[in-house]
């Protein structure tokens, strides 16, 4: 660890382009610096990067859920929503940001205040996670205590996203059964079962 400290200390003493050089040191440009360093980096950065990756999946799930909800409402015949447009959005052939998707939902559906607040908090958390969160905090990666705090911060952001997902899940399950005769809840159980069986392969 003394070697690691000797490498990091002069870099952290330089204010100009600090993020760039810490980023290079940590190897995100694909360059392997040394075997021992790579092992330590993987061991100590994995908790942060795992939570960040899980947060990205949460963010994509949040966006897809809203797109699917718009599609279901279009299929239900809600005025102003067409199957052509919502299918294109769902298939990612028509690009919409998470904010634009929420805007469409609020424009065509009467969203109650509680749900609207959860959507707003989830959107804010999603935007923070997806845009620059890691690079804006990369200087904290070299400090053990700060890494622990980063994991906690990411989990809090994920919690806000997942709270919105969870609140919309019952509506998604109900509509998918009614509109498409799709038992989403059964699919979820089957997916969990398949995942658990994959460990036995």
């Amino acid at each position: 660890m003394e070697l690691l400290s000797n490498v990091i200390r002069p870099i952290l003493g330089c204010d100009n382009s600090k993020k760039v050089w810490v980023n290079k040191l940590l190897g995100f440009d694909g360059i392997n610096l040394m075997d021992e360093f790579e092992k330590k980096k993987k061991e100590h950065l994995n908790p942060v990067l795992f939570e960040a990756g899980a947060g990205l999946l949460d963010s994509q799930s949040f966006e897809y859920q809203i797109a699917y909800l718009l599609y279901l409402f279009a299929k239900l015949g809600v005025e102003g929503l067409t199957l052509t447009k919502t299918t294109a959005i769902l298939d990612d052939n028509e690009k919409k940001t998470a904010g634009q998707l929420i805007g469409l939902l609020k424009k065509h559906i009467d969203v109650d205040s509680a749900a609207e607040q959860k959507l707003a908090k989830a959107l804010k958390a999603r935007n923070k996670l997806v845009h620059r969160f890691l690079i804006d905090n990369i200087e904290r990666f070299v400090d053990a205590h700060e890494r622990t705090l980063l994991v906690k911060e990411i989990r809090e952001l994920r919690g806000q996203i997942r709270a919105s997902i969870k609140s919309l899940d019952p509506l998604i399950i109900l509509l998918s059964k009614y509109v498409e005769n799709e038992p989403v809840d059964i699919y979820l159980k089957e997916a969990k079962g398949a995942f658990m069986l994959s460990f036995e392969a």
Side-chain angles (χ1 to χ4, degrees), residues 51-99:
E51 289 297 334
L56 179 60
L57 179 57
D58 290 336
S59 298
Q60 292 178 356
S61 300
F62 171 62
E63 292 173 41
Y64 192 85
Q65 184 190 51
I66 298 169
Y68 184 49
L69 194 54
L70 287 167
Y71 165 81
L72 290 174
F73 277 127
K75 208 163 185 182
L76 195 61
V78 170
E79 188 177 353
L81 292 175
T82 67
L83 271 178
T84 302
K85 184 179 181 68
T86 55
T87 300
I89 293 171
L90 193 61
D91 292 341
D92 204 31
N93 293 322
E94 182 172 333
K95 302 294 182 183
K96 293 290 181 185
T97 66

Side-chain angles (χ1 to χ4, degrees), residues 35-48:
D35 288 342
E36 185 62 24
F37 183 80
E38 290 300 313
K39 289 176 185 176
K40 290 294 184 182
K41 183 182 72 178
K42 184 175 181 179
E43 178 185 352
H44 294 287
L45 292 185
N46 267 0
V48 175

